[in-house]
Amino acid sequence: MVNCCGLLTSNKEPVPLKSIEVQLEVRDHVATVVSTLNYENKEDKPLEAVFVFPLPGDAAVCHFSATIGQTQIVAEVKEKQQAREEYDDALSSGQQAFLLEESEQSPDIFSLSVGSLPPGESASIRLEYVTELAVQADDGLRFCLPAVLNPRYEPQGRKPSQLNVSVQVTSVPASLVPYSLSFSARVSSPRPVSKVESSCSLDPLQYLNTEQTQATVKLAAGHKFDRDVELLIYYKDAHQPTAVVEAGQASAKPGTLMGDPVVMLSLYPEFPQSVMSSVSSCGEFVFLMDRSGSMGSRMNNSESHQTRISSARDTLLLLLKSLPMGCYFNIYSFGSSYEHIFPVWSTSQETMEEALKKVEVMDANLGGTEILEATQTYLQPALHSQPLFVFTDGEVSNTKDVINLVKKNSGSHRCFSFGIGEGSSSALINGLAKEGGGHAQFITGTDRMQPKVMQSLRFALQPAVVDISVTWDLPKGVSVTALSPPITTLFQGQRSLIYAQLTGQSSDAAEGCVTVKYSLAGHPSQNQLHFSLKPEEDTGLTVHRLGARTLIRSLEMEEREHRGQQDGGVKEKVVELSVQSGVSSSFTAFIAVNKGNNEPIRGPLVRRDVPIPSECFSNTMNATIIKQPSRDPLLQLVSLQKASGCWVLDPALAAALGKTSEEVEKPKPASEVWATILALIWLHGFKMDAKEEWELLAMKAVSWFRAQNAVFSHSVSSANDFLKLFCLFFSTMCGRVCGSWKYTVRLCGAERCPGALSF
């Protein structure tokens, strides 16, 4: 008879996992995460507890240990099959054993097995990993502790032998997770910490010094384990190139990765303005929309927020309206099946209207997430580099197959990926962008998707950077071995990370220099960074482990690309590097066996699958019928802009401006010039806080003005009076930025006046 005391699943089964404690340490833009999982067996039989959970897809797991009473067992990294056999052998002989392994299909899913936990026994599992922090559209650094693991969709017709059968996900609604989470963070940086924000409630930020370069923060009391924990960390002067040289491990052999110093460079390329302003931005855009059933779930647990598919629809509207004149586009959507809007590329007002009508009725009604087959259809060789925008909640199991396909086509498609909602696969979203030469964004909680997507559009409108090379200038006797793959993508002001192993001796005063050379629109350019070669000692080998993780991921991709064509040499390299560095891989696992037990644990083991929160627990295959909140007035106005850049004076525009048709038409005769001026002044007057969302389409409107050769200063004055705003004048129209006319708006003569704005 099962003793139903303690924590219970929704099926009334006891859960041996009692609590999770997470400590985060952020140093500049690198994070170290220590998670402690506390287990207790309150049943009368020995247990095997299996917990499948998410981690950031680019994390480097570097420590795993178990504490039972006063005994601590530190796990070793071994080849995966060997580790599994040792685990099974230990359980069969009555020994306690612990196994941690990464999914073979997606590096953001891990399985933790706690074996032979005796009745009444407690155990604490310590898991440590390091990860880089991604830079967001507003220059914040994003850390995400994944709490939600949605069921991964299995592609139709997939052979069972291809699956990692040891990984089984047990999901419950997030509100019913039967264990607690505590979370605290410490942030330190050479630059002051401006603020820390989160999708979850936080206690006030506490500064630890007068320079405000160190601070602590933690989750507020009463936090429910019902969402991912996301932190956004802001530093002053964040866009500064940096270099960290980390000393090698004293016990490791010189000449090896762990024995030599490793350098991590953070570069922020700055492109010449003369080149940027002279480049045409016309292109061919592919928009790929996930319409699987799980996209019908809400962005978060609040009833007032949109569904994922609704948010994606609004964002696609903004993207289409913001495309510069002369751009071609097509829209594809996928689920269990896939479809496209046009048989050929489109750019006219008529096709734009047709596309918007079809986007408006897109729903999460296409079943499963067959993203691989859909992507194979769309990724055809192209004469020019085509930006590919992928919107998905990322609930697929064949992550590596999809990423590999995008990499093979990266010569003709730059991939910009967007993970929508809690539980989206960070491995899929980041992998698509990294291997596709684009940029990744995550939209969760109360985030507005639009600012992040507009940042990606600006990147896509930047000219493609080619012929990228990295050269090193180091003292005599010091050599360098690259750990990062060659740089294939550079964007204006966006961070690029480079890891390299330094071999040889140098003085503490010695300096090195790295130069990134590239060609931009036919113009050769370069950026340099000088740095000290003196190693930092107290860094916990974080840089080494991140460098090892980077090299491991590159080798895994190489092995996957050439599977069946090689003799396993690449896999052997991965295993050797993983064991040497203590960093997880898809071919290795952490194994710990408690060999100190005098008495074997007797009796048949009872397996208990520890549940994980799931946003889409109710139905991931069928669309959900959810009442939508009313449309944002900004998006309502944006939807009315014509492909040429102008607005038309009609009842819909009047309603978007909060006026009647009679009120709008009274000050001036009905005309497109009058309507467009009203729209632009409304944007400047009421939506300056969302300027990054609409400035590209405003530039397009100004280009339309220029083509009209119209004199409209009196109309601007009338529009200001009509909307009861400030005095606004278009004072200049000069230069070109991303193919759109640059203009200056001068605001003056009112208490709301913020001065002169140029964009």
Side-chain angles (χ1 to χ4, degrees), residues 588-631:
T588 54
F590 284 88
I591 175 67
V593 177
N594 185 3
K595 299 179 179 179
N597 289 353
N598 295 324
E599 292 292 331
I601 299 169
R602 302 188 182 280
L605 284 180
V606 178
R607 176 173 171 136
R608 293 287 183 242
D609 293 326
V610 178
I612 193 79
S614 173
E615 280 275 315
C616 320
F617 178 77
S618 60
N619 195 338
T620 61
M621 292 294 294
N622 299 304
T624 314
I625 300 174
I626 295 176
K627 183 180 178 181
Q628 293 298 325
S630 59
R631 176 171 245 179

Side-chain angles (χ1 to χ4, degrees), residues 581-751:
S581 62
V583 171
S584 61
S585 76
S586 60
F587 302 128
T588 54
F590 284 88
I591 175 67
V593 177
N594 185 3
K595 299 179 179 179
N597 289 353
N598 295 324
E599 292 292 331
I601 299 169
R602 302 188 182 280
L605 284 180
V606 178
R607 176 173 171 136
R608 293 287 183 242
D609 293 326
V610 178
I612 193 79
S614 173
E615 280 275 315
C616 320
F617 178 77
S618 60
N619 195 338
T620 61
M621 292 294 294
N622 299 304
T624 314
I625 300 174
I626 295 176
K627 183 180 178 181
Q628 293 298 325
S630 59
R631 176 171 245 179
D632 185 337
L634 170 61
L635 293 175
Q636 182 63 28
L637 184 70
V638 167
S639 69
L640 299 174
Q641 188 185 34
K642 300 298 180 183
S644 62
C646 72
W647 275 265
V648 174
L649 201 63
D650 59 16
L653 177 63
L657 297 173
K659 305 290 183 180
T660 66
S661 296
E662 293 75 15
E663 288 175 323
V664 169
E665 295 173 1
K666 184 177 179 180
K668 298 286 291 182
S671 70
E672 292 177 342
V673 170
W674 172 238
T676 304
I677 289 174
L678 283 175
L680 285 176
I681 291 182
W682 186 90
L683 289 172
H684 284 89
F686 295 107
K687 292 296 179 181
M688 280 302 294
D689 58 339
K691 175 185 169 185
E692 70 275 13
E693 299 182 34
W694 53 258
E695 62 179 338
L696 288 180
L697 60 89
M699 288 179 179
K700 188 160 60 171
V702 173
S703 294
W704 177 85
F705 271 131
R706 185 179 179 87
Q708 307 310 303
N709 293 317
V711 177
F712 49 84
S713 58
H714 181 66
S715 296
V716 171
S717 178
S718 298
N720 279 298
D721 292 339
F722 171 65
L723 293 175
K724 294 181 174 57
L725 293 173
F726 32 74
C727 189
L728 178 150
F729 299 98
F730 293 96
S731 59
T732 61
M733 291 185 188
C734 59
R736 301 196 73 187
V737 178
C738 293
S740 299
W741 292 100
K742 178 181 179 181
Y743 66 97
T744 298
V745 176
R746 186 166 300 281
L747 311 170
C748 60
E751 62 181 18

Side-chain angles (χ1 to χ4, degrees), residues 18-19 72 86 116 124 147 195 276 363 381 510 518 653 677 705:
K18 293 180 59 179
S19 63
Q72 183 185 45
E86 288 189 17
S116 290
S124 292
K195 60 181 178 178
M276 290 291 293
D363 209 347
Y518 50 91
L653 177 63
I677 289 174
F705 271 131

Side-chain angles (χ1 to χ4, degrees), residues 47 162 208 219-220 235 239 258 342 346 380 439 523 571 650 658 724:
L47 290 182
Q162 293 176 282
L208 302 179
L219 284 177
Y235 301 130
H239 277 206
M258 300 304 291
F342 303 114
S346 303
Q380 302 297 329
H439 188 250
H523 298 264
K571 180 178 178 180
D650 59 16
K724 294 181 174 57

Side-chain angles (χ1 to χ4, degrees), residues 27-31 131-133 141 235 242 264 266 495 497:
R27 292 191 177 186
D28 208 4
H29 51 257
V30 171
T131 186
E132 303 159 359
L133 302 183
L141 295 175
Y235 301 130
T242 58
M264 178 179 68
S266 302
R495 185 188 68 190
L497 288 176

